[in-house]
Amino acid sequence: MPRDDGGDGPRADGHHPGLDDLFVRPLLETVWRRRTHRVSRGANVPAGSMSHVSEQAPQPLTELEEAVLIALTGCTGLTMPDRPFDDPRNGKPIMAKPNLTMAGRTAGSPDNAQGTHFFLINDTGTYYLRKLDPAPGEPFDALTLTDRARQSKVQVLDHRLDVAEGLRDFPAYLDSNRFLSNLPGTTLLFPVVDLSHQYINALMYLLTQPDGARPTLVDDRNFYRPAGVKKWIRNGFLNEKLKLPLGALGPLRTQIEADLLLQNLMLVAEGMGLGAWIHASINPQIALGDPKFSRAYGKMLGFTFVTPRWRVADLWRWHIPLPRYANVRSHPVGLKAPNGEPLISAMCPPAFASMSDAVDAVIREKFGPGGVYGDKDVFSRIYREDYGRRYLAEASEYEDRVVECARDICAYILRTHRRFPAHTDAIHVPGVWLQAHHVERPYYEKYFTNGLTDAHRRHGELWDD
């Protein structure tokens, strides 16, 4: 059957034997047989008497193979707000609109923050993967997958994200990873997580607890003093005896999204018969372009970094002894495309003049015109009959005191520590990425008893014909 592009793209009718095989492959079998395959086609393995020299050329993933993986990083439909509206103990309303978005993905997310962004790296360059709206119907035909993948990709570099030749040692790469990671022919998916939206949202959600159960936020980097909440202790809104250090909040569990998504990607790559390997990425600070490393390694992805101005109090708060060491506390806050389009923007300066403005922006994105809970059409598609309208009318939102208290905490953090958040980065980088590649079959066949599955052995005939 002819293909639409005359080459290795999908067939004209959208069907593809590789997809057909993937759809019927048992999930439990894939999970049970899942193993890391680090050696990509064309790679050499210097290992003493088990050394291997490849006689094959590197073979990049096809557009469709990459499109399947790209689909796994994106939106897959709409979530369900299946939570109670009332406290069963006394019937009082409880906050039932915590989500930052109603768009679902293949992995869960705290309050559906979905702060994880992905970059894709291959032989043609480095791409930011834009989040698309859910595809109508089931987007599992080859033509739809490849079309959506093209829409998603925004090229940020015309080459692989990598360090210069001769710099693949620590701190750029870790140990033996430098010999097998990010080689020609491989595709990598690199996650970064914007924590700032959920940091603000989760603070507000935390402050919706019942009377007596709302904690007093204290600053463990400032002698455990109240974190801008003295007013709220005095008026009884917060429980002074129930203290919660800002440092204990950490990234508010938002970072687990990336780990779950990477696992899903690995399982799908395994089911496709590709090699898949989750491992330490290039040092995150180097990869994003932290000023501390850019002189040696270049701008790399070119994220915008904020470096808090040093003050004497940083001696005991952050153990920063002198102004020249202030860049120890630099953190990434955003990224723009080469044409200037904002791709990632943290909810803090410089994107906002103040943290009060940033908190207001989160509220608008949730409850304002065109916001998450202002789109009645979305909820009419989530619910049957008129239950979407009922949910929007009956489920409670943040009360004014919650928003005002959260605003005071956020303003305190920026005022005291000159960055937001202070106890975690605005944009968190897990420091791992997934490499997908065609496996070096002769190596696995020669040395390992169960080195390959039938999916690996049949991959060529199903996907690469």
Side-chain angles (χ1 to χ4, degrees):
M1 186 174 293
R3 297 180 183 276
D4 70 325
D5 61 359
D8 63 358
R11 292 171 174 165
D13 62 359
H15 289 287
H16 191 281
L19 287 176
D20 293 342
D21 179 75
L22 181 62
F23 294 153
V24 299
R25 186 162 295 278
L27 173 62
L28 187 57
E29 175 186 293
T30 300
V31 173
W32 195 259
R33 294 295 306 276
R34 185 220 60 81
R35 295 294 183 270
T36 296
H37 291 81
R38 297 172 178 82
V39 182
S40 59
R41 178 175 164 138
N44 299 325
V45 183
S49 64
M50 293 176 57
S51 293
H52 174 79
V53 177
S54 178
E55 297 180 355
Q56 305 183 96
Q59 181 186 6
L61 269 59
T62 66
E63 185 179 28
L64 177 59
E65 288 168 343
E66 284 193 347
V68 173
L69 299 177
I70 290 171
L72 267 289
T73 72
C75 177
T76 57
L78 297 172
T79 62
M80 298 177 293
D82 49 350
R83 60 179 70 243
F85 301 171
D86 308 311
D87 189 329
R89 300 170 298 184
N90 51 30
K92 290 184 178 180
I94 57 176
M95 215 294 286
K97 294 178 179 174
N99 283 15
L100 278 173
T101 176
M102 298 310 297
R105 286 167 104 174
T106 61
S109 168
D111 300 335
N112 207 39
Q114 302 298 355
T116 302
H117 301 263
F118 274 94
F119 294 87
L120 182 142
I121 304 163
N122 62 23
D123 289 347
T124 68
T126 301
Y127 303 84
Y128 170 79
L129 298 181
R130 195 191 307 275
K131 297 176 184 177
L132 305 180
D133 291 334
E138 296 293 338
F140 292 129
D141 68 87
L143 293 173
T144 302
L145 286 167
T146 53
D147 180 61
R148 286 178 63 82
R150 291 168 189 164
Q151 294 178 50
S152 176
K153 292 168 70 174
V154 179
Q155 189 170 52
V156 293
L157 299 172
D158 63 2
H159 55 273
R160 282 183 176 273
L161 175 69
D162 206 350
V163 298
E165 191 70 29
L167 294 178
R168 275 192 160 227
D169 295 315
F170 187 84
Y173 280 88
L174 182 65
D175 196 45
S176 64
N177 288 3
R178 65 187 184 274
F179 301 114
L180 296 173
S181 181
N182 204 10
L183 298 183
T186 64
T187 292
L188 293 106
L189 288 148
F190 178 46
V192 303
V193 188
D194 175 5
L195 302 179
S196 62
H197 290 69
Q198 175 60 359
Y199 196 97
I200 295 171
N201 186 55
L203 274 179
M204 290 189 284
Y205 197 25
L206 180 66
L207 296 171
T208 64
Q209 306 311 301
D211 290 342
R214 286 185 289 272
T216 293
L217 276 297
V218 296
D219 189 353
D220 43 327
R221 290 283 184 167
N222 194 23
F223 304 109
Y224 289 86
R225 293 175 176 172
V229 294
K230 290 181 180 178
K231 160 187 169 183
W232 302 101
I233 297 170
R234 288 194 300 268
N235 66 21
F237 182 67
L238 301 181
N239 183 347
E240 186 176 15
K241 296 180 180 179
L242 186 60
K243 292 181 169 61
L244 178 62
L246 288 172
L249 296 179
L252 291 161
R253 298 188 292 277
T254 312
Q255 83 286 356
I256 67 170
E257 295 175 10
D259 302 331
L260 298 173
L261 288 163
L262 285 172
Q263 175 68 356
N264 286 347
L265 284 163
M266 185 166 196
L267 290 174
V268 171
E270 177 81 9
M272 294 168 67
L274 294 170
W277 178 26
I278 297 174
H279 61 286
S281 67
I282 296 175
N283 180 303
Q285 292 173 306
I286 293 173
L288 269 61
D290 189 313
K292 293 188 290 294
F293 294 94
S294 58
R295 180 174 297 179
Y297 296 96
K299 63 179 289 187
M300 304 297 278
L301 284 172
F303 271 71
T304 299
F305 278 75
V306 163
T307 301
R309 183 170 62 84
W310 184 87
R311 291 183 295 179
V312 173
D314 289 344
L315 278 166
W316 60 83
R317 289 174 181 161
W318 298 101
H319 307 145
I320 307 297
L322 294 168
R324 69 171 178 265
Y325 299 116
N327 65 3
V328 169
R329 297 187 59 228
S330 297
H331 73 141
V333 295
L335 176 69
K336 293 183 178 180
N339 65 3
E341 176 194 358
L343 300 177
I344 304 174
S345 295
M347 304 298 277
C348 61
F352 295 90
S354 68
M355 286 312 303
S356 179
D357 290 344
V359 172
D360 289 345
V362 172
I363 295 296
R364 282 196 306 274
E365 288 180 4
K366 291 188 65 168
F367 305 114
V372 173
Y373 295 100
D375 192 340
K376 296 179 181 179
D377 177 63
V378 166
F379 291 89
S380 70
R381 288 186 282 136
I382 293 173
Y383 284 96
R384 295 181 183 275
E385 301 174 8
D386 70 338
Y387 292 119
R389 179 189 59 77
R390 296 190 196 184
Y391 167 77
L392 291 173
E394 297 176 18
S396 297
E397 302 174 358
Y398 298 125
E399 61 171 295
D400 290 343
R401 291 185 303 169
V402 166
V403 177
E404 291 172 13
C405 184
R407 187 182 285 116
D408 287 347
I409 295 169
C410 294
Y412 164 87
I413 292 171
L414 182 62
R415 181 175 66 250
T416 304
H417 299 289
R418 301 297 176 97
R419 53 171 270 185
F420 180 89
H423 301 70
T424 190
D425 288 346
I427 297 173
H428 167 78
V429 187
V432 292
W433 55 17
L434 176 131
Q435 179 169 299
H437 52 249
H438 294 103
V439 296
E440 176 68 7
R441 284 184 54 184
Y443 172 74
Y444 289 99
E445 295 282 18
K446 180 176 180 179
Y447 291 111
F448 299 98
T449 304
N450 295 302
L452 301 172
T453 66
D454 70 307
H456 294 113
R457 293 190 177 95
R458 297 189 61 211
H459 178 87
E461 68 178 271
L462 293 173
W463 290 90
D464 303 327
D465 58 335

